[in-house]
């Protein structure tokens, strides 16, 4: 049963899209298991740059793609994305959406904005896509699923009940304007007509495929430190980006995922608020941001940049069960001068090697750095590990030793072929 899961080992934006796109060449099905259009996967292929938000990265290779039940689906965003892909020459005609996936409604987006505004300086820094409020409704047993949306009568009943509550919150707590049932109903019935043919029991599809020995790639969005349980809570997203989230997020047993790859950038970035131990607030941070084009694919926000943090990576390997790591953007670090790697934290005079739960502890942590000479050469043409400059090889070897996992893929540029593969994943 060749089930392979790929997840982010940092705060998202690790380059999972390009790794999934690469691995998808050998896959039969690519499945997203959590998150929504808060994700932004940038994939460069055939000289074009594609920004994917909801559609699995396998779409660019015309693979069967599945949006699992654990994903929250904004139908307008999905349809816009599909239109854009088709305008760019991508067929995107093998996409299936779980009929159990929850639908992001306009009141989710409205509440996301109102709740963030109410938090003021303490805001989470969400993407504003209504993701958190949609997951809240799912767990409150008040959500609207794809199967509910495509049944017009059922949808009318559920929307009426939801709007009554949401409008009370929007108007009475936040002083906002109420949303109109008629407008949302008409708009969403239109979306339902366009997505109904894609709705399916995708849990069954994936199960059957795995039983038939087809290769299934599970694509995580966001990353370990945005996981609602293991991330820097409350500065997290409202789902489980860790690969263990793929079992409930797709509807398969955990024993059907037999290999896990964690994806990490050669340095660290994050968007949104929250502590970040190795953050660089100086010229070097700006150099990495400019060289790596570190601006969000979804919101365009400048990403915060810092040195590689091996406390985070070791933690991600453990809580995510990574068998191996893919390290992206080694080319970005080339030519920026000497580099540093954080191997532990110093908190209140104590050496700490395990990522703490308390945000106060993380905020107090001082990085313990190892200095590296850096590599000046352009490495974007290199395809064999042995051909990398010695400093770059040492950098990768340190990651392997500290994290206890082999680095089997190394990204040296944005294009599909700019990847050093030391071991085949499937
Ligand atoms: P939300 O997912 O929009 O609720 O945002 C919660 C937190 O997750 C914020 O810090 C966002 O910036 C962050 N976030 C959500 N999606 C992504 C992503 O795809 N990459 C990086 N950060 C993300």
């Amino acid at each position: 049963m060749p089930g392979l899961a790929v997840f982010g080992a940092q705060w998202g934006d690790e380059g999972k899209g390009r790794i999934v796109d690469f691995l998808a060449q050998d896959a039969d099905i690519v499945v997203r298991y959590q998150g929504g259009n808060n994700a932004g996967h940038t994939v460069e292929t055939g000289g074009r740059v594609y920004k994917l938000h909801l559609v699995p990265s396998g779409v660019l290779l015309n693979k069967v793609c599945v949006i699992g039940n654990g994903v929250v689906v904004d139908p307008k965003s999905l349809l816009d994305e599909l239109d854009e892909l088709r305008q760019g020459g991508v067929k995107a005609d093998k996409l299936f959406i779980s009929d159990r996936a929850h639908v992001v409604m306009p009141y989710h987006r409205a509440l996301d904005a109102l709740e963030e505004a109410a938090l003021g300086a303490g805001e989470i820094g969400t993407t504003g896509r209504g993701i958190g409020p949609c997951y809240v409704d799912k767990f409150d047993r008040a959500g609207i699923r794809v199967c509910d949306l495509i049944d017009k009568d059922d949808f009318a009943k559920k929307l009426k009940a939801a709007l009554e509550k949401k409008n009370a919150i929007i108007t009475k707590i936040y002083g906002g304007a109420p949303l109109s049932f008629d407008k949302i109903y008409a708009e969403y019935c239109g979306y339902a007509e366009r997505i109904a043919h894609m709705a399916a029991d995708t849990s069954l599809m994936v199960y059957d495929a795995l039983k038939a020995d087809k290769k299934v790639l599970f694509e995580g969005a966001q990353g370990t430190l945005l996981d609602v349980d293991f991330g820097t809570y409350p500065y997290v997203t409202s789902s489980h980006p860790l690969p263990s989230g793929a079992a409930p997020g797709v509807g398969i047993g955990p024993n059907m995922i037999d290999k896990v790859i964690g994806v990490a950038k050669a340095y660290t970035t994050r968007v949104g608020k929250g502590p970040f131990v190795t953050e660089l607030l100086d010229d070097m941070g700006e150099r990495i941001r400019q060289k790596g084009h570190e601006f969000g694919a979804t919101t365009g926000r400048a990403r915060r940049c810092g040195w590689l943090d091996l406390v985070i990576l070791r933690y991600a390997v453990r809580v995510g069960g990574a068998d191996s790591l893919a390290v992206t953007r080694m080319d970005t670090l080339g030519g920026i001068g000497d580099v540093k790697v954080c191997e532990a934290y110093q908190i209140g005079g104590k050496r700490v090697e395990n990522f703490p739960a308390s945000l106060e502890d993380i905020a107090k942590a001082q990085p313990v750095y190892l200095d590296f000479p850096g590599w000046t050469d352009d490495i974007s043409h290199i395809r064999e590990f042995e051909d990398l400059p010695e400093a770059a090889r040492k950098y990768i070897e340190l990651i392997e030793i500290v994290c206890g996992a082999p680095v089997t893929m190394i990204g040296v540029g944005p294009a599909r072929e700019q990847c050093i593969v030391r071991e085949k994943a499937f």
Side-chain angles (χ1 to χ4, degrees):
M1 265 185 293
L4 169 67
V6 173
F7 76 105
Q10 294 156 324
W11 271 290
D13 307 320
E14 299 92 349
K16 292 178 296 294
R18 62 103 65 229
I19 294 292
V20 169
D21 171 72
F22 186 88
L23 295 171
Q25 295 178 100
D26 294 325
D28 295 298
I29 306 185
V30 185
V31 191
R32 266 280 299 272
Y33 57 86
Q34 47 69 234
N37 60 327
N38 48 351
H41 292 165
T42 307
V43 183
E44 196 175 314
T45 177
R48 278 187 86 116
V49 177
Y50 296 91
K51 292 210 163 138
L52 301 168
H53 298 284
L54 267 165
V55 179
S57 304
V59 71
L60 302 176
L61 290 154
N62 201 24
K63 299 286 172 172
V64 173
C65 287
V66 168
I67 294 179
N69 55 279
V71 176
V72 289
V73 179
D74 181 326
K76 179 176 182 332
S77 164
L78 174 66
L79 291 165
D80 286 350
E81 192 173 327
L82 287 173
D83 287 345
E84 218 176 294
L85 282 167
R86 286 177 187 139
Q87 276 158 23
V90 179
K91 271 197 183 147
D93 58 355
K94 294 184 198 152
L95 176 68
F96 298 89
I97 308 167
S98 167
D99 49 11
R100 290 177 168 89
H102 281 247
V103 180
V104 179
M105 302 297 296
Y107 45 81
H108 294 135
R109 285 192 300 275
L111 285 167
D112 198 348
L114 291 166
E115 284 161 5
E116 282 283 271
L119 286 170
E123 65 172 357
I124 306 289
T126 72
T127 59
R129 302 295 189 267
I131 306 300
C134 185
Y135 278 113
V136 166
D137 273 359
K138 170 174 176 170
F139 285 90
D140 197 24
R141 295 154 297 184
I144 295 175
R145 297 172 302 162
V146 166
C147 60
D148 308 323
L149 175 71
I150 55 191
D151 176 331
K152 283 191 177 174
D153 294 336
D154 199 23
F155 177 49
K157 272 191 236 147
K158 292 200 157 101
L159 178 61
K160 211 163 247 156
L163 263 187
E164 229 164 77
K165 251 178 136 173
K166 303 297 175 190
N167 275 338
I169 297 171
I170 289 170
T171 56
K172 293 185 186 150
I173 296 184
Y174 296 110
L179 303 182
S180 146
F181 171 88
D182 291 342
K183 191 162 170 275
I184 299 176
Y185 185 68
E187 182 186 340
Y188 273 65
C189 282
Y191 300 145
E193 275 169 27
R194 290 188 61 200
I195 66 170
H197 71 282
M198 295 183 260
D201 182 346
T202 52
S203 151
L204 181 62
M205 269 181 68
V206 173
Y207 177 86
D208 285 345
L210 284 165
K211 283 284 181 193
D213 256 351
K214 294 259 193 302
K215 292 173 180 161
V216 180
L217 185 54
F218 300 97
E219 175 180 7
Q222 291 89 38
T224 302
L225 292 187
L226 291 172
D227 186 278
V228 71
D229 273 285
F230 289 98
T232 42
Y233 190 89
Y235 299 101
V236 294
T237 193
S238 303
S239 65
H240 289 292
L242 286 171
S244 37
V250 178
I252 49 151
N255 54 346
M256 290 186 131
I257 302 165
D258 52 10
K259 209 182 213 182
V260 174
I261 298 181
V263 183
K265 254 180 208 164
Y267 46 93
T268 312
T269 63
R270 91 170 289 183
V271 284
K273 296 285 194 73
F276 178 173
V277 179
T278 61
E279 183 166 17
L280 286 164
L281 298 165
D282 55 6
D283 280 359
M284 182 56 88
E286 191 53 35
R287 271 169 80 184
I288 294 176
R289 185 175 304 114
Q290 294 303 332
K291 183 137 195 257
H293 310 290
E294 293 294 355
F295 298 89
T298 299
T299 59
R301 289 181 289 180
R303 295 180 184 140
R304 300 159 64 191
C305 298
W307 295 124
L308 182 65
D309 184 336
L310 293 180
V311 178
I312 292 174
L313 233 55
R314 195 191 303 112
Y315 174 68
V317 166
R318 172 168 64 88
V319 295
D323 295 297
S324 65
L325 288 166
V327 174
T328 62
R329 293 195 168 268
M330 278 295 281
D331 53 311
T332 301
L333 285 190
I336 61 160
D338 292 349
V339 295
K340 289 178 191 290
V341 176
C342 170
E343 50 130 8
Y345 298 158
Q346 196 75 30
I347 306 176
K350 266 201 195 141
R351 183 182 161 94
V352 173
E353 292 184 353
N354 292 309
F355 195 71
S358 151
L359 284 201
E360 277 67 34
D361 284 348
I362 303 168
K364 273 189 262 162
Q366 292 301 316
V368 178
Y369 282 125
L370 294 173
D371 294 309
F372 265 80
W375 47 98
T376 49
D377 336 31
D378 173 15
I379 58 169
S380 58
H381 58 284
I382 293 178
R383 299 291 174 270
E384 297 294 332
F385 182 72
E386 290 66 31
D387 296 336
L388 282 172
E390 192 190 354
R393 277 186 277 127
K394 287 234 149 51
Y395 194 83
I396 293 290
E397 282 161 5
L398 177 76
I399 296 173
E400 296 181 315
I401 292 164
V402 175
C403 298
V407 174
T408 51
M409 297 174 80
I410 301 165
V412 292
R416 187 176 287 153
E417 63 281 4
Q418 288 179 305
C419 195
I420 297 172
V421 182
R422 301 172 77 196
E423 186 187 296
K424 250 178 111 58
F426 272 120

